[in-house]
Amino acid sequence: MSALGALLATRSESGSTGMRSRILLGLVCGGYSVGAAFGWGSPQVAVFMGDFGLAAAALVAAVSCFLYARTGAGRLRPAWLLFSLSSAMAACGNAVWGWYEVILGVPVPTPSLADVFFLCFAPPAVVGLLVLAKRPVTRAGWVCLALDAWLIGGSLLTLAWSLALAHTANMAGVQEASVAPAALSLAYPLLDIVLVSMVLALHFRRAGVNRSAVNTAIAALALTVLSDAVFTSPLLRSTYHSGQLLDAGWFAGSLLLAYAPWGARRGARRPVRPGPPRAIASRPIAGSLAALTPYLAAAVCTLGILYNVVDGRRVDRVVIFTGCTVVLALVVRQGIMLLDNISLTQELAQKENHFRSLVQGSSDVIMIAAPNGTLRYVSPAAAGVYGREAEDLVGAELSSIIHPDDLGRVVHEVRRFLAAPPHEEPTTRIECRFRSGTGDWLNVESTVNRHQGGLLLNSRDVTERVRLQAQLQHNAEHDPLTDLPNRALFTARVRQALSGRRSGDPGTAVLFIDLDGFKQVNDTIGHQAGDELLIQAGRRLQESVRAGDTAARLGGDEFAALIMGDGTRDQGAREYQVHEIADRLRLTLSQPYRIGASEVRVAASIGVAFAEPAISPTDLMRNADLAMYRAKAGGKDRVELYAPQMQADVVRRSELATRLRTALRDGEFALLHQPVVHLASGSVAAVAAQARWRSAQGILFTPAEFLRVSGDDDRTAELGRWLLEEAVAQAAERARAGHPVAVSVRLSAARLLDSAPPPGSVEALLTRHGLPSGALMIEVADSDPRVSFDALEQRLVALRRLGVRIALDGFGSGFAAINALRRLPIDVLKLDRNLVEGVVESARLHKITSGLLRIACDLGLQSVADGVDVPEQVLALRAMGCTHGQGMAFSGPLDEYRLRRALVRGEFPVPGIPAPRPVMAGGSIPLLTGSHTETPVPPT
């Protein structure tokens, strides 16, 4: 069974059980009434049911109240014990009555033991009613409760005395012998009057605990008192006998009292749905009746006196005395109420002033709106918050001060709030814009409560908070330098473009832009100038894209642009259009930048990637980034479209980096040496160390391609360190074997500064292997414009002090060759291979090479031509004054065994020179001769 079905079953079962109990109670009482009305069929049964039947019913009530009190009745437990005692007295009285009439068969004497029990019925019931009553908090409350009880009891006593009790008292005075019966006759109505007074007083002062049980108990006692009143009337008392219909009232009162606690307990177990109490509407009526109770009592007392006057009888002293005490009680009570009202009025005025001060002094605006939306009250804070006087807003429509764009949302929220149950949603919060006195719109946050069918609004100005939130949101999504969207916002825009209604548009493209040469701007003219350049570049980029596109700065000198598709299905035309946009951006960003008094130029490399079906924003941006790096690798200042092969190249570079790392760890690199030959004699002047990677198949490959593809600077630096140490170690071993020849190691300028060993470690390396410092030459590659000449100069000077020779590699191809000659401590110029290859065929290259060699000669530097592969090049270079050559015209790279054989031979044949005499390699090496203390350079 489902939870809802179980809940419904429980509710229906509980409801059906309570209904069955009430039906059974009604049937029993109805059956007793019918039996009493028809005399029970015989006088004997009638007497038995009239005596022992009532005793049984009262006994049931006594046991029921006692058991309920034992199971736990809370604060009302003494009341139920007293009701149990009262019912027990009634049961005993009826039992004694039945003893006389049924067992003994004699009339009940007056007075008798039964009268004692019946008289003991009222006091416990009265005290129990007092326990059920709501206890007053103050002494004045207790006095008012006593006065109310006396007002009701006195008025009833006046009326009862005028109607019947005076006659009974007079009869007792005439017949002195019947004083006890007369007193007994007066005791019953007086106790009933006390009970009625307590019942009426309790009706307006009953406690809120177990209200159903209390109401049922009051009804049961009221029915018993009514039956007693009928019994004590002179008209019925003389003709009453057991078994009459009057017994049904006592019987029903006892059973109703027995049912009261258990029926209420069953109702208390039922789950009550939260909601407004249904008795709210009756509370004003109950309060009015409670307030009119003293006046009604006085009216009843007056009626008793008027009855005697109109009837022509002399007003009894008891009536006069009782009436006077009732009037006195009314006056005293009114005096107490007057003082209480004065105190309450003062307290109310004080609280009203307090709350008025709070409302008027509050910085929030408090407004009360009628159900039709008209403002009925506006606090004075409106003048400071809205810039409008409160009097001007009172009577205006609430909708007239709300922004039209926010009005629909506000109306919808108010309707939803008013339709919701108050206990579930007591308040709601609405944020909208209000019109101020100056005509501006203020952001206002209002807490809305229900108020007499309308609305109570507590509003505050949150314009600054909203502005601050908007500024924080803007700062979180925009670059602080250029104010362009940052990477997070750009990624969100790309995601929105790929997931919106244009998600299938293949014309959507992402452009990644990198400024070429920006680092040089920072290094040369400062970071502040670099920031100004980035600001101008961002402004140009923002002005160049269309209104629906997005320009962003991703960080550093990297920018991006999102070009939205136009819905066209012609992919070729779309690619052409986007390529034109990208090329226009490239030209715009490559224009000179005016920074202070300087004019700065940078270029732009742009990568373009188009959206594909089901592509993610991350993949699309990655594709554009790969295309941008391809543009930079292809020569910079160009536009490159993404192709799937680029991703394959990335995977290949990653694989090669992994293989290179493994090769270095496993010792798969080998060291070869290529002889450097003196062009005039053919002797071996030095050897150039070159690394080779031995593949798994045993084939040797140059690592240059792997290093260039992998782009792993750490592996390149590690390879450079291995090359230097291995070259020094093998050169020292050759020297010990009788082949002392210098070794040259090629290191780039960046590696020489960043990752190469410090000068002290180079000296330690030479010392450890026992190689003279003059036998090591470092070839510096002059091809990186990012290298600082100052740091490179300091580095080379420190190495030269150790005796290490310095060669300028690639002379004739670097952009700063003249500057390098002017500043760096150079011993040898090594001509670039590209010059040597065309020195024979090209007259222009011949003149350039001749001029460079003349410069080297004038500076007193030795020269080495790299890439000398044919005899004609040897002849031409020697004729120009080149001193040394390296290339296939003499020998390729050799392993250690072949190198030693070449060194044993000592020299190589040189074209145009007669065959030399066999000379063993050793002794003086031409490359190492000459002064090493000073390099002549032109004045700066």
Side-chain angles (χ1 to χ4, degrees):
M1 182 182 296
S2 66
L4 180 60
L7 180 61
L8 293 176
T10 303
R11 289 186 175 183
S12 61
E13 180 181 355
S14 176
S16 61
T17 302
M19 181 61 67
R20 286 196 299 268
S21 300
R22 288 190 288 272
I23 292 175
L24 180 61
L25 178 64
L27 291 176
V28 173
C29 294
Y32 190 93
S33 300
V34 171
F38 290 98
W40 296 102
S42 68
Q44 292 79 8
V45 176
V47 172
F48 181 84
M49 294 302 296
D51 294 336
F52 291 108
L54 293 180
L59 183 61
V60 170
V63 173
S64 175
C65 294
F66 179 76
L67 292 177
Y68 179 70
R70 285 193 60 187
T71 56
R75 186 178 66 84
L76 304 182
R77 183 170 181 269
W80 294 106
L81 289 175
L82 292 170
F83 291 153
S84 174
L85 178 60
S86 178
S87 299
M89 294 297 102
C92 293
N94 284 297
V96 172
W97 199 287
W99 173 266
Y100 282 108
E101 289 189 337
V102 176
I103 303 300
L104 301 179
V106 297
V108 180
T110 303
S112 65
L113 185 59
D115 294 320
V116 176
F117 286 117
F118 286 142
L119 291 176
C120 292
F121 166 80
V126 171
V127 178
L129 290 174
L130 287 175
V131 175
L132 290 179
K134 185 191 299 182
R135 297 179 181 179
V137 180
T138 62
R139 295 180 179 179
W142 284 104
V143 174
C144 288
L145 177 61
L147 292 175
D148 287 344
W150 172 244
L151 284 172
I152 297 173
S155 60
L156 293 179
L157 177 60
T158 302
L159 186 60
W161 191 273
S162 300
L163 294 178
L165 297 183
H167 177 71
T168 304
N170 292 331
M171 292 297 296
V174 174
Q175 302 176 359
E176 295 182 1
S178 60
V179 172
L184 189 61
S185 300
L186 290 175
Y188 281 113
L190 290 177
L191 290 176
D192 289 339
I193 289 174
V194 174
L195 270 176
V196 170
S197 302
M198 294 308 304
V199 167
L200 292 177
L202 181 60
H203 178 71
F204 303 110
R205 291 178 176 270
R206 61 185 181 274
V209 183
N210 291 343
R211 185 176 294 272
S212 177
V214 172
N215 290 338
T216 307
I218 291 175
L221 294 176
L223 184 58
T224 303
V225 170
L226 180 60
S227 301
D228 288 345
V230 175
F231 171 75
T232 55
S233 65
L235 297 177
L236 187 63
R237 179 66 181 271
S238 59
T239 61
Y240 171 80
H241 59 82
S242 298
Q244 288 186 343
L245 187 59
L246 181 60
D247 294 343
W250 287 312
F251 185 83
S254 297
L255 290 187
L256 192 60
L257 184 60
Y259 170 78
W262 306 104
R265 196 177 191 183
R266 196 161 41 243
R269 283 198 211 101
R270 295 188 203 137
V272 180
R273 289 184 300 174
R278 288 177 289 180
I280 289 179
S282 64
R283 285 181 182 176
I285 300 176
S288 300
L289 291 177
L292 292 176
T293 300
Y295 305 100
L296 293 176
V300 171
C301 184
T302 304
L303 288 177
I305 298 174
L306 290 177
Y307 176 80
N308 288 305
V309 174
V310 172
D311 198 27
R313 291 183 295 178
R314 183 175 60 85
V315 180
D316 195 279
R317 287 177 296 178
V318 175
V319 174
I320 295 176
F321 177 78
T322 305
C324 291
T325 55
V326 169
V327 172
L328 180 61
L330 179 61
V331 172
V332 174
R333 188 185 189 282
Q334 290 303 107
I336 294 174
M337 294 300 297
L338 179 61
L339 295 176
D340 195 20
N341 288 338
I342 293 174
S343 176
L344 290 177
T345 302
Q346 293 176 350
E347 184 179 356
L348 180 61
Q350 183 180 1
K351 289 183 177 180
E352 184 178 355
N353 292 331
H354 176 70
F355 284 109
R356 182 182 292 111
S357 301
L358 289 178
V359 171
Q360 293 180 354
S362 173
S363 59
D364 294 349
V365 181
I366 299 175
M367 300 184 295
I368 298 177
N372 59 359
T374 303
L375 294 175
R376 298 188 305 189
Y377 172 79
V378 179
S379 66
V385 177
Y386 300 151
R388 303 175 66 176
E389 295 297 331
E391 293 78 7
D392 298 338
L393 290 174
V394 174
E397 293 289 337
L398 183 60
S399 58
S400 64
I401 63 175
I402 299 178
H403 196 284
D405 295 342
D406 300 339
L407 184 58
R409 176 173 54 85
V410 172
V411 171
H412 174 74
E413 175 62 21
V414 169
R415 288 178 178 174
R416 185 202 62 78
F417 170 66
L418 294 177
H423 63 276
E424 293 181 0
E425 191 173 4
T427 63
T428 187
R429 182 168 296 180
I430 297 176
E431 188 169 332
C432 61
R433 288 168 287 179
F434 277 11
R435 186 190 300 276
S436 68
T438 59
D440 298 331
W441 293 101
L442 303 176
N443 293 94
V444 176
E445 182 185 69
S446 302
T447 302
V448 184
N449 294 270
R450 298 173 181 84
H451 178 73
Q452 297 180 0
L455 297 174
L456 174 63
L457 297 94
N458 190 347
S459 306
R460 62 196 63 87
D461 183 11
V462 294
T463 303
E464 288 301 323
R465 189 193 71 186
V466 172
R467 185 180 295 115
L468 178 60
Q469 288 177 346
Q471 183 64 40
L472 292 176
Q473 183 69 21
H474 180 84
N475 294 342
E477 295 179 343
H478 289 77
D479 175 59
L481 183 63
T482 62
D483 203 38
L484 292 177
N486 58 14
R487 183 180 294 272
L489 181 56
F490 184 76
T491 304
R493 296 270 178 92
V494 173
R495 182 179 294 105
Q496 183 179 2
L498 296 180
S499 61
R501 57 185 180 88
R502 292 185 177 181
S503 58
D505 190 351
T508 300
V510 170
L511 280 61
F512 265 45
I513 306 165
D514 187 83
L515 300 181
D516 303 323
F518 175 75
K519 186 177 185 302
Q520 185 180 1
V521 174
N522 276 341
D523 294 339
T524 54
I525 61 178
H527 290 274
Q528 186 174 359
D531 291 344
E532 179 61 28
L533 188 148
L534 291 176
I535 294 174
Q536 295 185 26
R539 188 180 303 118
R540 292 184 186 183
L541 181 61
Q542 182 68 40
E543 294 172 354
S544 300
V545 299
R546 301 173 303 179
D549 300 335
T550 301
R553 181 189 176 209
L554 305 183
D557 59 343
E558 290 188 357
F559 294 84
L562 172 63
I563 308 299
M564 301 299 297
D566 55 3
T568 180
R569 293 296 175 181
D570 189 349
Q571 186 66 15
R574 181 58 180 165
E575 289 184 1
Y576 178 77
Q577 180 184 6
V578 173
H579 194 282
E580 277 193 337
I581 295 174
D583 201 57
R584 185 173 67 251
L585 290 176
R586 181 187 64 81
L587 294 175
T588 301
L589 295 174
S590 300
Q591 295 297 319
Y593 294 86
R594 174 62 62 179
I595 300 177
S598 304
E599 188 177 86
V600 180
R601 289 179 178 269
V602 294
S605 298
I606 302 178
V608 182
F610 287 91
E612 300 174 357
I615 192 172
S616 66
T618 303
D619 292 341
L620 180 59
M621 295 173 64
R622 181 205 60 197
N623 294 345
D625 196 20
L626 291 176
M628 185 265 291
Y629 277 106
R630 176 60 63 89
K632 292 179 71 68
K636 303 180 180 180
D637 193 18
R638 55 182 294 175
V639 177
E640 190 78 31
L641 297 180
Y642 170 77
Q645 181 61 32
M646 297 180 183
Q647 180 62 25
D649 291 343
V650 172
V651 175
R652 178 170 174 264
R653 283 198 297 269
S654 177
E655 293 176 351
L656 290 177
T658 303
R659 292 172 60 186
L660 178 61
R661 191 180 303 111
T662 304
L664 287 170
R665 185 182 67 244
D666 297 342
E668 296 180 2
F669 279 92
L671 189 63
L672 303 181
H673 295 83
Q674 189 172 22
V676 178
V677 179
H678 194 281
L679 296 183
S681 62
S683 62
V684 179
V687 291
Q690 299 177 3
R692 292 292 186 270
W693 178 56
R694 188 183 305 276
S695 68
Q697 293 77 20
I699 304 175
L700 292 177
F701 295 97
T702 174
E705 176 66 18
F706 292 93
L707 295 176
R708 182 167 54 252
V709 172
S710 68
D712 195 334
D713 293 342
D714 293 337
R715 303 285 80 76
T716 305
E718 186 177 351
L719 180 60
R721 288 191 293 269
W722 175 86
L723 176 63
L724 179 61
E725 184 166 357
E726 191 70 16
V728 170
Q730 292 190 15
E733 186 177 351
R734 284 193 297 271
R736 288 192 293 271
H739 307 292
V741 62
V743 61
S744 64
V745 179
R746 186 179 185 274
L747 295 175
S748 67
R751 293 291 161 265
L752 193 63
L753 291 178
D754 296 340
S755 304
S761 63
V762 174
E763 183 180 11
L765 179 66
L766 295 173
T767 303
R768 184 170 67 250
H769 292 285
L771 182 69
S773 58
L776 175 64
M777 184 170 64
I778 302 295
E779 299 179 7
V780 181
D782 176 35
S783 60
D784 194 345
R786 299 172 297 178
V787 174
S788 172
F789 263 102
D790 294 334
L792 182 60
E793 181 182 8
Q794 295 176 6
R795 176 73 172 171
L796 294 180
V797 168
L799 289 174
R800 201 160 180 269
R801 287 198 185 102
L802 297 177
V804 177
R805 289 292 179 159
I806 307 298
L808 183 62
D809 187 35
F811 185 68
S813 64
F815 77 100
I818 300 301
N819 195 26
L821 282 177
R822 183 175 64 88
R823 300 185 58 181
L824 301 181
I826 303 299
D827 297 300
V828 178
L829 287 180
K830 195 169 186 178
L831 294 177
D832 186 71
R833 177 183 294 272
N834 293 326
L835 292 177
V836 176
E837 287 178 353
V839 73
V840 177
E841 294 83 3
S842 173
R844 185 180 185 87
L845 288 179
H846 188 280
K847 291 181 179 181
I848 293 174
T849 305
S850 177
L852 295 176
L853 290 173
R854 192 160 42 250
I855 291 174
C857 181
D858 293 342
L859 293 176
L861 304 179
Q862 296 181 359
S863 56
V864 177
D866 189 14
V868 182
D869 295 333
V870 295
E872 292 78 7
Q873 294 173 344
V874 176
L875 295 175
L877 290 169
R878 186 173 59 193
M880 293 181 210
C882 183
T883 58
H884 297 81
Q886 172 186 343
M888 297 303 296
F890 307 107
S891 173
L894 304 175
D895 57 17
E896 187 66 21
Y897 174 75
R898 291 183 177 85
L899 176 61
R900 293 196 180 191
R901 290 183 58 187
L903 293 177
V904 170
R905 189 171 62 250
E907 58 186 22
F908 291 91
V910 179
I913 299 178
R917 300 183 304 272
V919 178
M920 295 297 292
S924 175
I925 299 177
L927 187 59
L928 301 179
T929 60
S931 173
H932 301 297
T933 59
E934 183 179 357
T935 300
V937 295
T940 58

